Amino acid sequence: MTTAAINPKIGTTMKSLVYHGPGQKAWEDKPYPSIKESGDAIVRITTSTICGTDLHIMKGDVPTVTDGRILGHEGIGVVEQVGSGVTEFHVGDKVIISCVTACTKCDFCRKGMYSHCRTGGWILGNTIDGTQAEYVRIPHADGSLYHFPDGGDEEALVMLSDILPTGFECGVLNGQVKPGDTVAIVGAGPVGLAVLLTAQFYSPAAIYVIDLDDNRLAVAKKFGATTVINSSDGKAVERVLELTGGAGVDVAIEAVGIGATFDICQEIVAAGGRLANVGVHGKPVMLHLEKLWSHNIALTTRLVDTVTLPMLLKIVLSGKLQPSKLATHRFALNDIQKAYEIFGNAAKESALKVILTNK
Amino acid sequence: MTTAAINPKIGTTMKSLVYHGPGQKAWEDKPYPSIKESGDAIVRITTSTICGTDLHIMKGDVPTVTDGRILGHEGIGVVEQVGSGVTEFHVGDKVIISCVTACTKCDFCRKGMYSHCRTGGWILGNTIDGTQAEYVRIPHADGSLYHFPDGGDEEALVMLSDILPTGFECGVLNGQVKPGDTVAIVGAGPVGLAVLLTAQFYSPAAIYVIDLDDNRLAVAKKFGATTVINSSDGKAVERVLELTGGAGVDVAIEAVGIGATFDICQEIVAAGGRLANVGVHGKPVMLHLEKLWSHNIALTTRLVDTVTLPMLLKIVLSGKLQPSKLATHRFALNDIQKAYEIFGNAAKESALKVILTNK
Amino acid sequence: MTTAAINPKIGTTMKSLVYHGPGQKAWEDKPYPSIKESGDAIVRITTSTICGTDLHIMKGDVPTVTDGRILGHEGIGVVEQVGSGVTEFHVGDKVIISCVTACTKCDFCRKGMYSHCRTGGWILGNTIDGTQAEYVRIPHADGSLYHFPDGGDEEALVMLSDILPTGFECGVLNGQVKPGDTVAIVGAGPVGLAVLLTAQFYSPAAIYVIDLDDNRLAVAKKFGATTVINSSDGKAVERVLELTGGAGVDVAIEAVGIGATFDICQEIVAAGGRLANVGVHGKPVMLHLEKLWSHNIALTTRLVDTVTLPMLLKIVLSGKLQPSKLATHRFALNDIQKAYEIFGNAAKESALKVILTNK
Amino acid sequence: MTTAAINPKIGTTMKSLVYHGPGQKAWEDKPYPSIKESGDAIVRITTSTICGTDLHIMKGDVPTVTDGRILGHEGIGVVEQVGSGVTEFHVGDKVIISCVTACTKCDFCRKGMYSHCRTGGWILGNTIDGTQAEYVRIPHADGSLYHFPDGGDEEALVMLSDILPTGFECGVLNGQVKPGDTVAIVGAGPVGLAVLLTAQFYSPAAIYVIDLDDNRLAVAKKFGATTVINSSDGKAVERVLELTGGAGVDVAIEAVGIGATFDICQEIVAAGGRLANVGVHGKPVMLHLEKLWSHNIALTTRLVDTVTLPMLLKIVLSGKLQPSKLATHRFALNDIQKAYEIFGNAAKESALKVILTNK
């Protein structure tokens, strides 16, 4: 059922970053992956990166990740082998790997909700081995890989694996950002900045970015924020209401994942506005329905589907978006432990995304 | 500026139901209302009704309602007098009164959010005198009155003042009910039943109605619920998940206004589904973002705008909706105190809407 | 790559209706079909039917259909064999065959435009052999077959292969039929009636059906038309404008495919309305932009995608739609030549859909 | 009913450009306008401009314009007097005049179709006297005027009267331009350029502009076109198909109003695409339904509603749009005859919009 017989690497080993419980990980040998289903492809990783979610995993916050799992769900690479059912990719094709695996056939995939694919979704570096390795097995390859364009920049396009679609789909599309809108983004980490970059596709009149860290706010300003607000004085809500003549913002986007930032959002969203949640929350929040019941708002949640990956790719290629500016640090893939250290101290290190290269 | 001079009732008195603080109201004389702005109309009430919100007011829950206020925001009547700026209505026109006053000119009105009209919104029986009276002044008459159709049924059409648009706009439209959907309505009071009746405009495959009262559930069944669930055993969530093979419902509609019913909604809404809040909440609720952040849901709130009143009128006239079946009790307007008693014990009295007639 | 080895029918023959040029067709022996790609399935037909498009083919109007082609693109059947890439269907599964073949992976399929699938679309009974046969090969089986529900009625559900999705997607969805709308359907043949049945999912206030044939109009009346108009006196436009107080209809749906009926539609569509073309046109039409440029209309075209097949199935199963009433005549599959005769004289024979059974 | 008594200009005369039949117009004395309805305002014009439609009128192409009519439907000015029903504007307010008059109360206005207002629409300089005059009466002032922002630029903001909303609403919104789209604009006159400027609000990946005039194409290039195509060789369609790999464009926008340019649009629109007509057509066009019936396209028409004027104003104020670059020539209002001459030879004179100032 596969072309495995002709792949001399079968049975050899590769290097990979392996999770061994909270706080424990190692750059170690694992077997070279093999095709398991007819839709699988094996991809040699050329560029990868680290996600905030990987840090959550390392803290033990994601119970589906168990000892022995290879981490990582972002990457660029080259197809080494394909199963018999793969029709869209061939050995040697350079590809962008989506963080979300999509069969394209199930009811959820049919409506563009790849995140909830019956046999996919976010599984890479979670319930199956991931991309922080020399090689990775990609199930449902036809639905989960995208052709890397000739002359493309790996550093820029690896941002299409997760962070740009996340900011765009969960923040901008769900928030229905429209020309002339006033938008507030709460949180200026990499995901908040991805929201900021992609919100500008729709020409809002104003974008306020709120964070506790002045360095990040300076980056936000450079990336197109019209106003930045340091919320460490507890007066962000007051400031936004002042800026909007008391009305609040058309779109409030939560890009942190805690109660305090969610609270800011629900206090600043205008009547008729949208509150788009992007952050990953670990706890319930208090929703002030006693006020909001009559405010005609929509609050949305979303796990990224990466359905907009092809559209984002077009915009990057058109030159209207330069995602490489999210890359602040570069390492060889086998220095990944050092990269985690830097990324784990992102604020202090002024780090956004760290690029891992395997050449 | 007005035609007041020719109206012999100016300076006389009328009967009306007046609020005198929590638990206190009286059917008493008040001055016949007069035109104050060029857009005003004076309407003689022929049919009115009582809303659940009126009961909230009587408990003292609505602080904007102060001693001396005439209650009521629903009604049918006949125009007695119009200000100089009124162009769409003339003395003698029979009209449906919207519970929401709309100038049609401000930014909110321009986008169909009459509920947030800069000089209107829900003001009748709230911040200005209302419709539980022989006469009422209607500001912004051109935007707030609708022509009563020849041969129309007052008992049916008074439901267009508030309850049907509320169920339809806040529940069905916000919930984006679509053909083939599975819908759950939590709460089978008058508003929940209005949701039930109008949800059927979109041919959902299944409508579950959940309530604590078997009588109301029996009515729901008669009004088109495909399954009714008595939640007094605390197993409504379990039952809905069972009925949907564990998936939950496409649309969950909250029509009560308390934490417990909101909880049912957030536990039964499917990934990719909508949670439309219709209930009036007095307290915050706990929102389980730690689970819902990745469920791709939309949660909406809305104070009714009554923008759909003309469309609902067309459907009533086409015979596809019989709102008169919401009317269970009838009184003369001057028996309104008795009507409040019945309506205040709605469950026990099997009361839905009580009709008040002033002939 | 296939399970062919175990299928004893390989190498045998089957009966099928074969096109031999305009006006020429024969019920004759053809080889039992075999799996060609890993995504293929072989289906034994149990129920099929004839489409108006088949009549067009027989006239020689569809040049892509060449001598030797097995006709037919609708059907119910049982899976006999599957390729190695098929994951959603197994031997013995009873299935509904979509008239449109969808790979689900290409850019068009990803946006729900299966009709323009890069390696599919309408190919059955067109560029590859079809369903008016004892057996048929279905490419991209996972995207092109749907599970037949337990206890389903074949006669009803074969309408999901083409005619119901066509009426619903091209007419009702594209026409954006909404509650309270006034809708006109021009053409009361099977497709026009499919529009009529599915338009009612959205509770329009009025549906006018226009045709030249009184029998068909009588059926339309029975199927829910609120007014039927025989246009043989050339006064259909006049009559519709009269009925709508001069305004025209919110939605005009063309279900014939000629200039005369298109003209009626463009003359009766209201300012702000939608003109949804369903008919298959062989010639250009004159579009009166000199009038319509300022009428704020949308004119849509669509080859059915059958993306709504699962939703339509839910509604049929809920009992809200009885498509079996479109079936007027029944034949054994091997009497298909007789069935074509009846269907070719549909108006005279009062025929809608003819059912072909292979038991 | 009015404040007329205190306006000393009542009974005096003013200068205005008066139409006297095809080819005939004069800068002549007319009575100072007076309030006729309670919703009227009188505005002193400070800035006006000339529209392509005015040229059509001068050719006698617009039969609703009769001898004696003051021309013009665009302008900035200062309120001199208001009727008793006007609530949003006061004497001395500086205003932008919409080319479309909106009562805001009728059914069309309620759904944002101001162009079809029952007692308004495009009437200025058409069925009532217009803005190419020292003073103008504006009916339904509350719905038809917009507050001029402090510090605004009259030359820029007069583009909000008509041309920018026209390009944006009829071209960009109706064409549903989306991030990453490929858009073609056929016609690089002022309206085509307004489409070009406002299409960029949505970050399309490519915008092709097609025209016969190299000067206009040079302007288009400067205004953001990614590719310009001179169609004088008859190969524009070929070129667009080449650029799009044979697929055609997502959005084709017709901004001329003749059959030849409409033909280009229908030949280059991709399957699943939108064809938005902006041009004013004097004759029917041939629509190739024999090809397009199966292409899943939407073709739209629209007379501008100017509902987006407030949003466009926000974007201008945010600095994301500089409409003043459409202004190429400047005249005193009383030199309007000279201005018409220049504008009538726009291509030769490299004229886009001519600004008329009355100081």
Side-chain angles (χ1 to χ4, degrees):
Chain A
M1 192 184 289
T2 76
T3 57
I6 60 166
N7 186 341
K9 287 179 199 139
I10 304 280
T12 66
T13 62
M14 63 165 186
K15 287 288 183 189
S16 60
L17 189 73
V18 181
Y19 175 76
H20 291 300
Q24 305 296 318
K25 60 184 176 337
W27 179 249
E28 65 187 32
D29 283 339
K30 289 278 264 184
Y32 178 86
S34 60
I35 298 282
K36 293 186 179 169
E37 305 281 344
S38 64
D40 288 356
I42 304 300
V43 175
R44 178 170 60 83
I45 294 295
T46 55
T47 296
S48 189
T49 180
I50 307 172
C51 180
T53 304
D54 295 322
L55 300 183
H56 280 293
I57 292 170
M58 286 314 304
K59 285 184 192 143
D61 287 353
V62 186
T64 45
V65 183
T66 52
D67 185 5
R69 174 72 57 242
I70 300 175
L71 296 172
H73 50 266
E74 300 163 281
I76 305 288
V78 178
V79 173
E80 291 245 324
Q81 193 182 344
V82 294
S84 66
V86 176
T87 58
E88 310 296 305
F89 296 93
H90 302 93
V91 172
D93 285 353
K94 194 164 179 175
V95 293
I96 303 167
I97 301 168
S98 167
C99 66
V100 158
T101 299
C103 77
T104 75
K105 302 168 178 179
C106 73
D107 54 344
F108 280 118
C109 282
R110 298 279 186 119
K111 48 182 168 174
M113 271 179 70
Y114 300 166
S115 58
H116 288 71
C117 172
R118 299 276 174 191
T119 56
W122 173 44
I123 56 175
L124 283 178
N126 178 6
T127 57
I128 67 170
D129 286 337
T131 60
Q132 291 169 1
E134 291 180 303
Y135 302 93
V136 63
R137 179 180 69 94
I138 303 294
H140 301 309
D142 283 339
S144 313
L145 298 177
Y146 292 84
H147 288 285
F148 189 94
D150 286 348
D153 170 8
E154 294 197 19
E155 220 173 272
L157 296 181
V158 74
M159 305 302 173
L160 294 181
S161 285
D162 179 345
I163 190 166
L164 282 174
T166 294
F168 184 59
E169 296 177 7
C170 308
V172 179
L173 285 188
N174 268 17
Q176 298 173 48
V177 175
K178 288 196 301 293
D181 272 357
T182 298
V183 176
I185 300 166
V186 184
V191 170
L193 293 172
V195 174
L196 172 60
L197 290 172
T198 56
Q200 295 172 66
F201 296 166
Y202 291 96
S203 307
I207 309 180
Y208 311 145
V209 175
I210 300 166
D211 200 291
L212 295 163
D213 183 81
D214 279 332
N215 287 330
R216 291 191 150 177
L217 291 173
V219 175
K221 193 79 184 143
K222 224 173 55 189
F223 282 15
T226 55
T227 305
V228 295
I229 300 170
N230 189 311
S231 55
S232 49
D233 62 359
K235 296 191 175 167
V237 169
E238 203 175 302
R239 181 89 181 94
V240 169
L241 293 178
E242 204 177 279
L243 285 164
T244 56
V249 296
D250 299 305
V251 188
I253 300 176
E254 206 286 339
V256 179
I258 60 172
T261 47
F262 183 84
D263 274 350
I264 293 177
C265 289
Q266 64 179 324
E267 292 193 56
I268 63 176
V269 64
R274 284 85 61 200
L275 194 174
N277 186 80
V278 183
V280 176
H281 289 258
K283 294 182 188 162
V285 298
M286 198 69 100
L287 179 68
H288 288 286
L289 270 190
E290 82 284 6
K291 174 191 154 195
L292 294 172
W293 75 268
S294 64
H295 279 225
N296 300 36
I297 66 150
L299 185 167
T300 58
T301 69
R302 187 167 180 177
L303 179 57
V304 66
D305 297 300
T306 70
V307 274
T308 61
L309 200 158
M311 170 167 121
L312 291 165
L313 180 56
K314 279 188 207 170
I315 300 183
V316 173
L317 294 177
S318 79
K320 290 186 198 307
L321 177 66
Q322 282 86 31
S324 59
K325 58 187 174 191
L326 288 166
T328 53
H329 294 70
R330 285 151 195 88
F331 298 88
L333 179 57
N334 58 21
D335 279 339
I336 189 168
Q337 296 272 27
K338 176 76 185 145
Y340 262 81
E341 245 172 78
I342 296 291
F343 189 65
N345 289 293
K348 186 181 135 218
E349 302 283 351
S350 295
L352 296 173
K353 292 291 278 186
V354 302
I355 298 294
L356 303 165
T357 310
N358 183 40
K359 292 284 145 111
Chain B
M1 190 184 288
T2 75
T3 56
I6 59 165
N7 185 342
K9 286 177 200 141
I10 305 281
T12 66
T13 62
M14 65 165 185
K15 288 289 186 191
S16 60
L17 189 73
V18 181
Y19 174 76
H20 290 302
Q24 305 295 319
K25 62 182 176 338
W27 180 248
E28 66 189 30
D29 283 340
K30 289 278 264 183
Y32 178 86
S34 59
I35 298 283
K36 292 185 178 169
E37 306 281 344
S38 65
D40 288 356
I42 305 299
V43 175
R44 178 171 60 83
I45 295 295
T46 55
T47 297
S48 190
T49 179
I50 307 172
C51 180
T53 304
D54 295 321
L55 300 183
H56 279 294
I57 293 171
M58 286 313 305
K59 286 184 192 144
D61 287 352
V62 185
T64 45
V65 183
T66 52
D67 185 5
R69 175 70 59 242
I70 300 176
L71 297 172
H73 51 266
E74 301 163 280
I76 304 288
V78 177
V79 173
E80 292 246 323
Q81 194 181 345
V82 294
S84 66
V86 176
T87 59
E88 310 296 308
F89 295 93
H90 302 93
V91 172
D93 285 354
K94 192 162 182 176
V95 293
I96 303 167
I97 301 168
S98 167
C99 64
V100 160
T101 299
C103 77
T104 75
K105 302 167 178 178
C106 72
D107 54 343
F108 280 119
C109 282
R110 298 280 187 118
K111 47 182 168 176
M113 270 179 70
Y114 301 166
S115 58
H116 288 70
C117 173
R118 299 278 174 190
T119 56
W122 173 44
I123 55 176
L124 285 178
N126 177 7
T127 59
I128 67 169
D129 285 337
T131 59
Q132 292 169 2
E134 291 180 305
Y135 302 94
V136 63
R137 179 179 71 92
I138 303 293
H140 302 310
D142 284 340
S144 313
L145 298 176
Y146 293 84
H147 288 284
F148 189 95
D150 287 348
D153 169 9
E154 294 198 19
E155 219 171 274
L157 295 181
V158 76
M159 305 303 172
L160 294 181
S161 284
D162 179 345
I163 191 167
L164 282 174
T166 294
F168 184 59
E169 296 177 6
C170 308
V172 178
L173 284 189
N174 270 15
Q176 298 173 49
V177 175
K178 288 195 302 293
D181 272 356
T182 298
V183 176
I185 301 166
V186 183
V191 170
L193 293 172
V195 174
L196 172 60
L197 290 173
T198 57
Q200 294 172 67
F201 295 167
Y202 291 97
S203 309
I207 309 180
Y208 311 144
V209 176
I210 300 165
D211 199 291
L212 294 163
D213 183 82
D214 280 332
N215 287 331
R216 291 192 150 177
L217 290 173
V219 175
K221 192 85 185 138
K222 223 171 59 189
F223 282 15
T226 54
T227 305
V228 295
I229 300 170
N230 190 312
S231 54
S232 49
D233 61 359
K235 296 190 174 168
V237 169
E238 201 176 305
R239 180 89 181 94
V240 169
L241 293 179
E242 203 178 279
L243 284 164
T244 56
V249 295
D250 298 305
V251 188
I253 301 176
E254 205 287 338
V256 179
I258 60 172
T261 47
F262 183 83
D263 274 351
I264 293 177
C265 289
Q266 63 178 324
E267 292 193 55
I268 62 175
V269 65
R274 285 85 62 200
L275 194 174
N277 186 79
V278 183
V280 177
H281 290 258
K283 295 184 187 160
V285 298
M286 198 68 101
L287 179 68
H288 288 286
L289 270 189
E290 83 283 6
K291 173 190 154 195
L292 294 172
W293 75 268
S294 64
H295 279 224
N296 300 36
I297 66 150
L299 185 166
T300 59
T301 69
R302 187 168 181 176
L303 179 57
V304 66
D305 297 299
T306 70
V307 276
T308 60
L309 200 157
M311 169 168 121
L312 291 166
L313 181 54
K314 279 189 207 169
I315 300 183
V316 172
L317 294 177
S318 78
K320 290 188 198 307
L321 176 66
Q322 281 87 30
S324 59
K325 57 186 173 192
L326 288 167
T328 52
H329 294 71
R330 285 151 195 88
F331 298 89
L333 179 58
N334 57 20
D335 280 340
I336 189 169
Q337 295 273 27
K338 175 78 185 142
Y340 262 81
E341 245 172 77
I342 297 292
F343 189 65
N345 290 292
K348 188 184 132 215
E349 301 283 352
S350 295
L352 297 174
K353 291 292 278 184
V354 302
I355 298 295
L356 302 165
T357 310
N358 183 39
K359 292 283 146 112
Chain C
M1 190 184 292
T2 74
T3 56
I6 60 165
N7 185 341
K9 287 180 199 137
I10 304 281
T12 66
T13 63
M14 65 165 184
K15 287 290 184 189
S16 61
L17 189 74
V18 181
Y19 175 76
H20 290 302
Q24 305 296 317
K25 62 182 174 343
W27 179 248
E28 66 189 31
D29 284 340
K30 289 279 263 184
Y32 178 86
S34 60
I35 297 283
K36 293 184 177 170
E37 306 281 345
S38 66
D40 290 355
I42 306 299
V43 175
R44 179 170 59 83
I45 295 295
T46 54
T47 296
S48 190
T49 178
I50 307 172
C51 180
T53 304
D54 295 322
L55 301 182
H56 280 294
I57 292 171
M58 285 314 304
K59 286 181 192 146
D61 288 353
V62 185
T64 44
V65 182
T66 53
D67 185 4
R69 175 71 59 242
I70 300 175
L71 296 172
H73 51 266
E74 301 163 281
I76 304 288
V78 177
V79 174
E80 292 246 322
Q81 193 180 346
V82 294
S84 66
V86 176
T87 59
E88 309 296 305
F89 295 94
H90 301 94
V91 173
D93 284 354
K94 193 161 181 177
V95 292
I96 303 168
I97 301 168
S98 167
C99 65
V100 159
T101 300
C103 77
T104 75
K105 302 168 178 178
C106 73
D107 54 344
F108 280 119
C109 282
R110 297 279 187 120
K111 47 182 167 174
M113 271 180 69
Y114 300 166
S115 58
H116 289 69
C117 173
R118 299 278 173 190
T119 55
W122 173 44
I123 54 175
L124 283 179
N126 177 7
T127 58
I128 66 168
D129 286 336
T131 59
Q132 292 168 2
E134 291 180 303
Y135 302 93
V136 63
R137 179 179 71 92
I138 302 294
H140 301 311
D142 283 339
S144 313
L145 298 177
Y146 292 84
H147 287 285
F148 189 93
D150 287 348
D153 169 9
E154 295 197 20
E155 220 172 273
L157 295 183
V158 75
M159 306 302 172
L160 294 182
S161 283
D162 179 345
I163 191 166
L164 283 174
T166 294
F168 184 60
E169 295 176 9
C170 308
V172 178
L173 284 188
N174 269 15
Q176 297 173 48
V177 175
K178 288 195 301 292
D181 273 357
T182 299
V183 177
I185 300 167
V186 184
V191 170
L193 293 172
V195 174
L196 173 60
L197 290 173
T198 56
Q200 296 172 64
F201 295 166
Y202 291 96
S203 309
I207 309 179
Y208 311 145
V209 175
I210 299 166
D211 199 292
L212 295 163
D213 183 81
D214 279 333
N215 287 330
R216 291 190 151 178
L217 291 173
V219 176
K221 193 82 184 137
K222 224 172 55 189
F223 282 16
T226 54
T227 305
V228 295
I229 300 172
N230 189 313
S231 55
S232 49
D233 62 1
K235 296 188 173 169
V237 170
E238 203 175 302
R239 181 87 181 94
V240 169
L241 293 179
E242 206 177 278
L243 284 164
T244 55
V249 295
D250 299 304
V251 188
I253 300 176
E254 207 285 340
V256 179
I258 59 173
T261 46
F262 184 82
D263 274 352
I264 292 177
C265 288
Q266 64 179 320
E267 293 193 54
I268 63 175
V269 65
R274 284 86 60 200
L275 194 174
N277 186 79
V278 184
V280 177
H281 290 257
K283 294 182 186 163
V285 299
M286 198 69 102
L287 179 68
H288 288 286
L289 270 189
E290 83 283 7
K291 173 191 154 197
L292 294 173
W293 74 268
S294 63
H295 279 224
N296 301 34
I297 65 150
L299 184 167
T300 58
T301 69
R302 187 168 181 177
L303 178 58
V304 66
D305 296 301
T306 69
V307 274
T308 61
L309 201 158
M311 170 167 120
L312 290 166
L313 180 56
K314 278 189 208 167
I315 300 183
V316 172
L317 294 178
S318 79
K320 288 188 198 308
L321 176 67
Q322 281 86 30
S324 59
K325 58 188 175 190
L326 288 167
T328 53
H329 294 70
R330 284 151 195 90
F331 298 88
L333 179 59
N334 58 19
D335 280 338
I336 190 169
Q337 294 274 27
K338 176 74 186 145
Y340 262 80
E341 246 172 77
I342 296 291
F343 189 64
N345 290 292
K348 188 182 133 217
E349 301 283 352
S350 295
L352 297 173
K353 292 291 278 186
V354 302
I355 298 295
L356 302 164
T357 310
N358 183 40
K359 293 284 143 113
Chain D
M1 193 184 288
T2 76
T3 57
I6 61 166
N7 185 343
K9 288 178 197 136
I10 304 281
T12 67
T13 62
M14 65 164 184
K15 288 290 185 191
S16 60
L17 189 74
V18 181
Y19 175 76
H20 291 302
Q24 305 295 319
K25 62 183 176 337
W27 180 248
E28 67 188 31
D29 283 339
K30 289 280 263 183
Y32 178 87
S34 60
I35 298 281
K36 293 186 177 169
E37 307 281 345
S38 64
D40 289 356
I42 306 299
V43 175
R44 178 170 61 81
I45 295 294
T46 55
T47 296
S48 191
T49 181
I50 308 173
C51 181
T53 304
D54 295 321
L55 301 182
H56 280 294
I57 292 170
M58 285 314 305
K59 287 183 191 144
D61 288 352
V62 186
T64 45
V65 182
T66 53
D67 185 4
R69 175 71 58 244
I70 300 175
L71 296 172
H73 52 266
E74 299 163 281
I76 304 289
V78 178
V79 173
E80 292 246 324
Q81 193 182 346
V82 293
S84 65
V86 176
T87 58
E88 309 296 307
F89 296 93
H90 302 94
V91 172
D93 285 353
K94 193 163 181 177
V95 293
I96 304 167
I97 301 168
S98 168
C99 65
V100 158
T101 300
C103 76
T104 74
K105 301 168 178 178
C106 73
D107 53 344
F108 280 118
C109 282
R110 298 280 186 118
K111 47 182 167 174
M113 271 179 69
Y114 299 166
S115 59
H116 288 72
C117 173
R118 300 277 174 191
T119 56
W122 174 43
I123 56 176
L124 284 178
N126 177 8
T127 58
I128 69 170
D129 286 337
T131 60
Q132 291 169 2
E134 291 180 305
Y135 301 93
V136 64
R137 178 180 71 92
I138 302 294
H140 301 311
D142 284 339
S144 314
L145 298 177
Y146 292 84
H147 288 285
F148 189 94
D150 286 349
D153 170 8
E154 295 197 19
E155 220 171 274
L157 296 182
V158 74
M159 305 303 173
L160 294 181
S161 284
D162 179 344
I163 190 166
L164 283 174
T166 294
F168 183 60
E169 296 176 7
C170 308
V172 178
L173 284 189
N174 268 15
Q176 297 172 49
V177 176
K178 289 195 301 292
D181 273 358
T182 298
V183 176
I185 300 168
V186 183
V191 171
L193 293 172
V195 174
L196 173 59
L197 289 173
T198 56
Q200 295 171 66
F201 295 166
Y202 291 97
S203 309
I207 310 180
Y208 310 145
V209 175
I210 299 166
D211 200 291
L212 294 163
D213 183 82
D214 280 333
N215 288 328
R216 292 192 149 177
L217 291 174
V219 175
K221 192 81 185 144
K222 225 172 55 191
F223 283 15
T226 54
T227 305
V228 296
I229 300 172
N230 189 311
S231 55
S232 49
D233 61 0
K235 296 190 173 167
V237 169
E238 203 174 302
R239 180 88 180 96
V240 169
L241 294 179
E242 204 177 278
L243 284 164
T244 55
V249 296
D250 298 305
V251 189
I253 300 177
E254 206 286 338
V256 180
I258 60 172
T261 46
F262 184 83
D263 273 352
I264 293 176
C265 289
Q266 62 180 322
E267 292 193 56
I268 63 176
V269 65
R274 285 84 63 199
L275 194 174
N277 187 79
V278 184
V280 177
H281 289 258
K283 294 182 187 161
V285 299
M286 199 69 101
L287 179 68
H288 288 287
L289 270 190
E290 84 282 8
K291 174 191 152 195
L292 294 172
W293 74 268
S294 64
H295 279 223
N296 300 36
I297 66 151
L299 186 166
T300 58
T301 70
R302 187 167 180 177
L303 179 56
V304 66
D305 296 299
T306 70
V307 274
T308 61
L309 201 158
M311 168 165 120
L312 291 165
L313 181 54
K314 278 189 207 168
I315 300 183
V316 173
L317 295 176
S318 78
K320 290 187 198 306
L321 176 67
Q322 283 86 31
S324 60
K325 59 186 174 191
L326 288 166
T328 53
H329 294 70
R330 284 149 196 90
F331 299 89
L333 179 59
N334 59 19
D335 280 339
I336 189 168
Q337 294 274 28
K338 177 73 185 149
Y340 262 82
E341 244 171 76
I342 297 291
F343 189 64
N345 289 292
K348 189 182 134 219
E349 302 282 353
S350 296
L352 297 174
K353 292 292 279 185
V354 302
I355 299 294
L356 304 164
T357 310
N358 183 40
K359 292 285 145 109

